[in-house]
Amino acid sequence: MAAMSTADHLDWSRQDLRRFSDVLRLRNGQSVTVRFVEPRDGPALQAYFKTLSPEARYNRFTGASNGLSNHELDVLLHIGDDNRFAVIAEMTIDGIRTIVGEARYRVDETAGTLEFGLSVDDAHRGQGIGFALLSNLECRAAAFGVHRVFGDTLRTNNQMQSLARKAGYSFTNTPGDWREVRMMKTVHIAAEDIPCVQWRNVAVELAHHAGM
């Protein structure tokens, strides 16, 4: 039997996406919800990227940018295509659900890797949101049995490198791009030990299907 892709394992229908949400606790006691993006998030995501500082946008897009193009937004909203996914970090601020961070990642089960990129809103840095996003991505990697998590960032992006270093990532040169450095971490977490509840459930579900 041919190996199944990540998208084949689970129902990525829009109705099903919400069951993969995680509520994480930050250092200051506040909670942040990490969930898949949905079509209704399009305008809010465009606004999020536009409100990032020019430096933050430059770091996220590895070059000058005013935000997401329509094509980039369309790709971002199609969850599971080519095993590519996008998540947002939300907090309730003054009674309004607000995007305070985002991450995109791609799972390559053949290579056993999860590749990521992420950003945090300038006004909400220092609260542990970036660390929470990284930890959640590691849960997702563990759930699908991939053990190498990596991302590329500009050599001048000291904040991202500092975050990755604190999270236990090592560094090497990015192949083919002297401007960037690659952040890498090996993740070995048993299904029952995955700290993110929803992704622990996913891991158990996938293990059940594999044993059938």
Side-chain angles (χ1 to χ4, degrees):
M1 181 182 295
M4 298 175 70
S5 71
T6 299
D8 291 329
H9 284 307
L10 300 167
D11 177 11
W12 298 116
S13 68
R14 297 301 175 187
Q15 184 178 2
D16 199 46
L17 289 180
R18 293 174 184 266
R19 79 178 178 98
F20 301 107
S21 300
D22 286 293
V23 179
L24 311 176
R25 191 68 61 182
L26 302 179
R27 290 194 297 263
N28 60 8
Q30 291 183 290
S31 62
V32 59
T33 299
V34 178
R35 64 172 177 82
F36 283 120
V37 299
E38 301 179 30
R40 63 185 175 88
D41 296 317
L45 275 167
Q46 290 281 32
Y48 166 81
F49 283 109
K50 288 185 180 298
T51 57
L52 290 179
S53 66
E55 179 185 10
R57 282 199 303 272
Y58 189 92
N59 285 333
R60 184 64 178 92
F61 294 98
T62 63
S65 173
N66 290 322
L68 291 171
S69 68
N70 289 333
H71 172 70
E72 288 171 326
L73 179 62
D74 184 63
V75 171
L76 185 151
L77 293 175
H78 281 78
I79 295 298
D81 287 2
D82 193 29
N83 277 355
R84 297 180 187 275
F85 307 88
V87 298
I88 57 174
E90 278 187 327
M91 295 176 66
T92 300
I93 301 173
D94 296 329
I96 300 173
R97 297 298 292 174
T98 304
I99 298 175
V100 295
E102 57 78 35
R104 279 170 275 177
Y105 64 97
R106 182 175 184 270
V107 176
D108 185 334
E109 291 171 302
T110 300
T113 61
L114 181 148
E115 180 180 4
F116 73 90
L118 65 82
S119 69
V120 175
D121 179 63
D122 297 76
H124 295 91
R125 291 181 180 176
Q127 300 180 29
I129 295 169
F131 194 90
L133 277 169
L134 267 183
S135 299
N136 191 255
L137 293 177
E138 292 169 16
C139 288
R140 293 163 188 257
F144 289 109
V146 299
H147 302 299
R148 287 178 292 159
V149 179
F150 75 93
D152 297 316
T153 191
L154 292 170
R155 292 184 180 274
T156 54
N157 190 351
N158 294 323
Q159 288 182 318
M160 184 66 230
Q161 291 177 52
S162 177
L163 168 63
R165 192 171 289 110
K166 290 177 182 176
Y169 285 72
S170 59
F171 297 83
T172 189
N173 295 326
T174 296
D177 196 333
W178 62 269
R179 302 178 310 145
E180 298 184 356
V181 62
R182 177 159 293 182
M183 308 163 288
M184 305 180 300
K185 184 175 182 178
T186 301
V187 177
H188 286 285
I189 310 173
E192 62 274 14
D193 295 328
I194 294 174
C196 307
V197 174
Q198 299 304 329
W199 292 95
R200 183 165 65 243
N201 293 339
V202 168
V204 171
E205 179 181 334
L206 295 183
H208 172 74
H209 283 298
M212 292 179 63

